[in-house]
Amino acid sequence: MTLPGASASGTDEFAPDADPPLSAVRPRASHALNLLATLAVGYTLWLAQGVVLPILLGMFFALIGNPILRGLRRLRLPRVLCATIVLLGGLAAALALGYQLAQPAAEWARQVPKELSRLAPKLRQMSKPVHAASEAAQSIARATEAGDGKKVDVVRTEVNDPYKSLTATPMMLTSLLAVVLLTFFFMVYGENLQRNAISLLPSRQQKRVTVEIMQSIEREISRYVLTISAINLMLGLALAGSFYLLGVPLAEALLWGTMAAVLNFAPYVGPLIGIIIMLLMGFVAFDEAWMSLVPAGIYLGLHTLEGQILTPVILGRQMRLSPLVLIMALMAFGSLWGIIGLLLAVPLLVCVKITLSRIEGLEGWARLLE
């Protein structure tokens, strides 16, 4: 008598239509468990953002600086010296830009309350039809209410926590210092960390695929960030030049151009915020109604030219992402990490797409992101 699944000869071979041994069956988690695990990971990322964000930003800036670092290494310079040069150069450029824009930004911040008070009559004039319709609706609503109803006044109190405002600035400076230090250490010791992590993989095939993925991520992310930075720089310069031709002072024109360049790193969301700011700027800077719309129109035209023609032609298919997937990623990372999440959404999506395209059997998921 033979056991179920055993051959008549008593050997350990299974019949062609027999079930595989229990040890070969890999248990699969239920959909509910996968959903709970995803929610737990998302909550952990949100809860630990004070630790996760500096690490991600440090890795991101190190990826950008690695091509420059390798160029300096060809000069036979020590890696620590090369990383110091790259980091100090980046900090010097950021500080120089901030110093250049600090004065016009402060001047604009001082003028905004006064200009908004001048803007209020213009907005009231434009919103008269809507205001009249609202008053008519309120009159109808009051007429249909009970005559003896009493209006209830709600008093709201706001408690200002002085300790929170006192500790906000040191915490922000600590986070900035952590990002700078992590960027430096990733550039100096990241290669050794990567090599030691790859050595832990069991097979040569896994090591080769992992090295290819990491090299592709570094190459494509560096190319993407440098290309997008150049495109956004051209967009900012074009917008600043257009505003200067309209009579806006040069310092303020550079301020708006820099703002447009920074906002353009966040697709869809950044340009939408930029159009709103340009509308406000136009109403404040110009008295004529049609001239008030010119800054927003110039910004929209330049952004359309950049987003529909320039960027797709330069970046090509490798960096192509589905607008729907991109919007969902912006919503997810924006809700998790705020403005930093919006800036990191596209690079993280590019990393996911490159990883999926390099793993056998997952190429279809990479095409799904296009």
Side-chain angles (χ1 to χ4, degrees), residues 161-305:
D161 188 1
Y163 178 77
K164 183 177 180 180
S165 59
L166 185 64
T167 57
T169 302
M171 289 177 62
M172 183 177 65
L173 293 177
T174 303
S175 299
L176 290 176
L177 181 60
V179 171
V180 172
L181 291 177
L182 285 170
T183 302
F184 177 76
F185 287 121
F186 272 124
M187 285 192 293
V188 175
Y189 302 107
E191 186 176 348
N192 292 332
L193 179 63
Q194 175 181 330
R195 188 183 302 111
N196 293 333
I198 292 174
S199 65
L200 297 176
L201 297 176
S203 66
R204 181 174 297 180
Q205 174 70 13
Q206 290 178 341
K207 294 179 181 179
R208 183 181 63 81
V209 173
T210 304
V211 170
E212 290 180 356
I213 291 175
M214 295 180 121
Q215 290 177 349
S216 299
I217 287 177
E218 179 180 343
R219 182 174 60 253
E220 297 299 336
I221 290 296
S222 300
R223 172 175 169 259
Y224 168 80
V225 172
L226 292 176
T227 305
I228 285 296
S229 299
I231 292 174
N232 293 345
L233 178 61
M234 290 189 292
L235 174 68
L237 290 176
L239 186 68
S242 301
F243 284 178
Y244 182 71
L245 294 177
L246 289 177
V248 178
L250 180 59
E252 290 188 13
L254 291 176
L255 173 65
W256 299 122
T258 304
M259 181 214 68
V262 172
L263 287 176
N264 209 47
F265 281 98
Y268 302 110
V269 179
L272 179 61
I273 297 174
I275 289 178
I276 296 174
I277 295 177
M278 289 298 103
L279 284 173
L280 180 61
M281 177 262 184
F283 280 115
V284 170
F286 301 100
D287 295 329
E288 297 84 357
W290 68 273
M291 280 295 295
S292 301
L293 301 177
V294 170
I298 294 175
Y299 178 82
L300 181 60
L302 290 174
H303 173 69
T304 303
L305 178 65

Side-chain angles (χ1 to χ4, degrees), residues 14 26 72 128 133 194 213 243 363:
F14 288 92
R26 185 177 181 179
L72 293 175
K128 269 187 178 181
Q194 175 181 330
I213 291 175
F243 284 178
E363 299 90 347

Side-chain angles (χ1 to χ4, degrees), residues 298-315:
I298 294 175
Y299 178 82
L300 181 60
L302 290 174
H303 173 69
T304 303
L305 178 65
E306 173 268 329
Q308 301 299 321
I309 299 177
L310 192 61
T311 300
V313 169
I314 294 178
L315 288 180

Side-chain angles (χ1 to χ4, degrees), residues 113-126:
K114 181 177 66 175
E115 297 294 339
L116 286 179
S117 63
R118 293 173 50 193
L119 180 62
K122 186 187 297 186
L123 294 178
R124 281 198 298 267
Q125 185 69 24
M126 296 176 62

